[in-house]
Amino acid sequence: MRRKLVIAAVAGGLAAVLAAGPAASQAWDFEETFDTPAPDPWFLDGAEVEDGRLWVLDGDHAYLVVEMTDFAADIHLSRVEPGPALIVYRWRGPDGGVAIGLGDQLDVWVEVSGEPLGQHTAPFPVPVGEEFILSIRVDGAAHTISIDDRDLVTLDLPDLHGGQLGFITEPGGGLAIHSVRASFDTAEPVATTVAPTTTRPSAAGDLAWVRTGGPLGGLGYDIRMRPDDPDVMLVSDG
């Protein structure tokens, strides 16, 4: 029932999305339009397929269970609830990966082995109820994240491992995924499925304080930033 209500809300405010530009000329190895309730090779935890969409709502999450390194992906989706919602890629559970946060701005942060490597922000709001195409292009160390053919974030990540593509929401957040198209570097073992992971990017409430001994002696302060809200930082002098 909750998905029926969200469908009505989205139908009242859809934006036109044109499949033009680079996406039209891309050769795709994989395309999912969510025509069946149990799509393969997806791992769904709470998420459901209904009315030709993958609904990831209120703490649900879903992963494409394929190991990817170099790849291109176009994801046709919309935010359907205003709370935290993430797209993760090259994600490998506690080993981390790249997370894209959608909201009043686009936030991208990187975690490796639970340690944050950096956060990047683009002043590009993603309104609730509007459809858009999120594009991810990874070629070696070069990562480019775009919305509707507009490049928003570019990253240089030479040491990042491969991993899965996934969608994660927290309570109050919601995504409707209309389709996923991807092409893989066939020179990499990307067709090997791996065990699905339920690990989410770190949130401030999940972190434990680490005693550093204070600012003397070169140890400095312990500073942590909330991944879903870069304006909130936690600072301790030990």
Side-chain angles (χ1 to χ4, degrees), residues 8-120:
V10 173
L14 297 181
V17 177
L18 302 178
S25 60
Q26 174 75 50
W28 303 107
D29 299 318
F30 170 88
E31 184 165 4
E32 177 62 72
T33 54
F34 301 107
D35 297 321
T36 63
D40 182 66
W42 292 84
F43 172 77
L44 308 182
D45 184 2
E48 297 179 7
V49 174
E50 186 176 323
D51 297 308
R53 297 169 187 158
L54 172 62
W55 300 90
V56 189
L57 306 174
D58 295 320
D60 298 346
H61 54 143
Y63 291 95
L64 177 62
V65 190
V66 176
E67 179 88 355
M68 294 185 288
T69 305
D70 288 359
F71 74 99
D74 279 1
I75 305 164
H76 177 193
L77 74 159
S78 55
R79 291 178 67 211
V80 293
E81 293 181 359
L86 304 173
I87 295 94
V88 296
Y89 69 90
R90 286 174 70 165
W91 192 256
R92 195 184 283 173
D95 290 334
V98 181
I100 305 168
L102 305 175
D104 295 335
Q105 60 188 14
L106 189 78
D107 293 307
V108 180
W109 62 95
V110 183
E111 288 185 12
V112 173
S113 298
E115 294 297 325
L117 293 186
Q119 181 162 338
H120 309 265

Side-chain angles (χ1 to χ4, degrees), residues 190-201:
V190 294
T192 302
T193 58
V194 296
T197 174
T198 59
T199 304
R200 291 170 166 79

